[in-house]
Amino acid sequence: MPESGGSRAQRADVPGDIPPSGNRSGTDGAPVVPHGDAGALAVDPAAPQATAPAGLPGPALAGAAAKATRRTGLLVTLVLGGLTALPPLSMDMYLPALPAVTDSLSAPAATIQLTLTACLAGMALGQLVVGPMSDRWGRRTPLLLGMVVYVLATAICALAPTAGLLIGFRLLQGLAGAAGIVIARAVVRDLYDGVEMARFFSTLMLISGVAPIVAPLIGGQVLRITDWRGIFVVLTAVGIVLTLVVWKWLHETLPPADRHTGGVSDALRTMRGLLADRVFTGYMVAGGLAFAVLFAYISASPFVVQEIYGASPQTFSLLFGLNSIGLIIVGQVNGKLLVGRISLDKVLGFGLAVIVLAAVALLLMTLGVFGEVGLFPVAAGLFVLMSAMGLAMPNTNAQALMRTKHAAGSASALLGTSSFLIGAVASPLVGIAGEDTAVPMAVVQVVCALAAVGCFLFLCRPWQRAGKEAGAL
């Protein structure tokens, strides 16, 4: 059975007696930490390490170390999950309020949808800056700086008196929130490799998937007691808590020896090299187009469900939550059952095929091919489409990052930027025909899904690499 990958600490050639600090390295030159779980790499290297009292039996020491490792790994998983959950939380808690914001600020729906586009574009552009910064100065400092700015921008959004100002501060919110997205992925690349990285992305999807479920429900309940501004107050509080958690518990994962020392020109050169990799670019664009399918749904569904089909904000929140549950369940099937047993490319290809079929079915329903359909068939189609994202998104990220061992921050930035920029372009297109039809949403989804399949087939060319990828056993 060929090697299936794993955490860097697990794959390192660790001698029986670990040399003194500063002279520890594995076969790949990466620092080796005396723990069996990759999550332990997040422990502050400057902190004193516990030593066993004389005479303590080996099994007892190993058991204590294993428990400490599990606690540390769980803590890092929760922190990274929180950072990954912040963007959908920022987007989805706000969704039930879109019609109310339209009325409150006396702006057309297309203008208010630009508040989503601005936040998404900010997250895309911010990753291009934060990713290379994290490769040069480490993960922790850029992350904390971004979180502080996110909190301030979100608080100002709650006070915005006009649609223009709200769009502007949503852009700033996205720029700052990009730090959590890009650095969370880079930390995963610091700690894991191969199949274990794909599994960890599925674990993050489980944690971050709770946000789309809870966020619209919270948003709908907040709208019961206050107006849409209260949603940004809640987001501000969440940002403060997450900033404090990061400051206290997430230590540096990129050793100084592995950091890039060049300036802007070096960062641009690194990104050009990544983009010159046809396979990396294929996974990057395919993932971005799949995200555009998802974001077309996110942008249009409040109006489709509430305005066209007459559902309440609470019903919309429930349906949105059910779709997110489908994504989580499929994501866990991917991470727990499929990864390591079936080629990642086969799983990814199947997920993209299901997305295409669901998008085509939605287009036929919205065009009236099956006659006048109610909310239930459309909701079922959206559920299948959302669930299939659990096969597409983690595997595009994992396959792309497996090719970028020495520039995880820059690679993560390119992955995130492409996804958010493509999503930002797709967002206003779903409302181009007004609020009374769902056809534009379905058209955007079909086009993006087919384009994602094309990139996967003609750029990644999975059949040429069958049996070579780390996800095949």
Side-chain angles (χ1 to χ4, degrees):
M1 180 181 293
E3 180 181 0
S4 62
S7 71
R8 295 189 178 186
Q10 291 167 330
R11 294 183 293 106
D13 185 13
V14 184
D17 294 318
I18 295 173
S21 177
N23 189 31
R24 298 180 290 182
S25 64
T27 55
D28 62 355
V32 176
V33 177
H35 295 293
D37 183 80
L41 289 174
V43 176
D44 188 352
Q49 299 295 321
T51 57
L56 183 65
L61 176 60
K67 289 181 180 178
T69 292
R70 284 194 296 269
R71 285 195 299 267
T72 304
L74 176 61
L75 182 60
V76 172
T77 301
L78 292 175
V79 173
L80 296 182
L83 293 172
T84 308
L86 190 60
L89 195 65
S90 302
M91 292 286 183
D92 300 340
M93 190 184 297
Y94 176 65
L95 292 180
L98 282 177
V101 177
T102 301
D103 295 336
S104 173
L105 299 181
S106 301
T111 300
I112 298 304
Q113 283 176 330
L114 287 177
T115 62
L116 295 175
T117 303
C119 187
L120 201 62
M123 289 179 181
L125 298 175
Q127 290 182 71
L128 285 178
V129 177
V130 177
M133 284 176 59
S134 73
D135 281 340
R136 183 175 183 183
W137 289 299
R139 314 303 187 200
R140 181 175 164 84
T141 300
L143 177 57
L144 286 172
L145 179 61
M147 292 301 301
V148 170
V149 177
Y150 171 88
V151 168
L152 295 175
T154 306
I156 296 173
C157 283
L159 305 174
T162 65
L165 287 175
L166 181 60
I167 291 170
F169 285 118
R170 286 283 278 176
L171 176 64
L172 180 60
Q173 184 191 40
L175 287 168
I181 308 169
V182 67
I183 292 178
R185 273 197 304 265
V187 168
V188 173
R189 187 62 183 94
D190 291 340
L191 303 182
Y192 288 95
D193 204 352
V195 169
E196 288 302 314
M197 182 167 60
R199 288 186 176 134
F200 197 90
F201 276 124
S202 293
T203 301
L204 286 185
M205 180 167 289
L206 171 63
I207 299 173
S208 63
V210 174
I213 296 173
V214 175
L217 297 175
I218 296 175
Q221 297 307 312
V222 170
L223 291 176
R224 286 178 173 268
I225 58 177
T226 183
D227 61 6
W228 60 271
R229 299 180 189 275
I231 292 176
F232 287 106
V233 174
V234 174
L235 287 173
T236 301
V238 171
I240 292 173
V241 171
L242 191 54
T243 302
L244 294 174
V245 168
V246 168
W247 174 75
K248 182 166 180 61
W249 282 300
L250 186 64
H251 299 291
E252 186 57 65
T253 61
L254 184 66
D258 292 344
R259 297 176 190 176
H260 295 184
T261 56
V264 175
S265 60
D266 183 67
L268 293 176
R269 194 159 44 245
T270 299
M271 288 186 175
R272 282 199 302 269
L274 292 171
L275 293 174
D277 181 350
R278 170 181 52 79
V279 178
F280 172 84
T281 301
Y283 286 120
M284 179 188 72
V285 179
L289 289 165
F291 184 81
V293 175
L294 174 64
F295 203 75
Y297 157 74
I298 292 174
S299 299
S301 59
F303 297 97
V304 171
V305 174
Q306 295 181 74
E307 301 295 331
I308 297 177
Y309 292 98
S312 67
Q314 287 70 37
T315 300
F316 163 74
S317 300
L318 177 61
L319 292 175
F320 198 92
L322 289 174
N323 290 339
S324 299
I325 290 175
L327 188 150
I328 291 173
I329 292 174
V330 174
Q332 290 313 290
V333 170
N334 174 71
K336 304 299 183 184
L337 299 179
L338 302 181
V339 170
R341 293 179 174 85
I342 303 176
S343 163
L344 294 183
D345 278 330
K346 289 181 180 178
V347 177
L348 173 57
F350 178 77
L352 291 176
V354 174
I355 291 171
V356 169
L357 292 176
V360 170
L362 285 167
L363 178 59
L364 295 177
M365 284 189 283
T366 56
L367 286 173
V369 173
F370 305 119
E372 185 175 351
V373 298
L375 177 59
F376 180 78
V378 173
L382 292 172
F383 177 82
V384 172
L385 183 146
M386 279 283 285
S387 298
M389 293 293 170
L391 300 177
M393 293 193 296
N395 291 327
T396 52
N397 284 334
Q399 289 286 66
L401 286 172
M402 281 180 195
R403 306 178 64 85
T404 60
K405 183 175 182 179
H406 301 297
S410 296
S412 178
L414 288 173
L415 288 171
T417 297
S418 63
S419 294
F420 283 97
L421 281 180
I422 296 173
V425 171
S427 175
L429 297 179
V430 301
I432 198 169
E435 305 174 24
D436 300 325
T437 176
V439 171
M441 176 192 74
V443 169
V444 170
Q445 289 174 332
V446 169
V447 171
C448 291
L450 290 173
V453 171
C455 288
F456 175 63
L457 293 177
F458 298 110
L459 293 179
C460 302
R461 300 176 188 174
W463 61 86
Q464 294 181 352
R465 297 163 27 251
K468 296 181 181 180
E469 63 174 6
L473 289 179

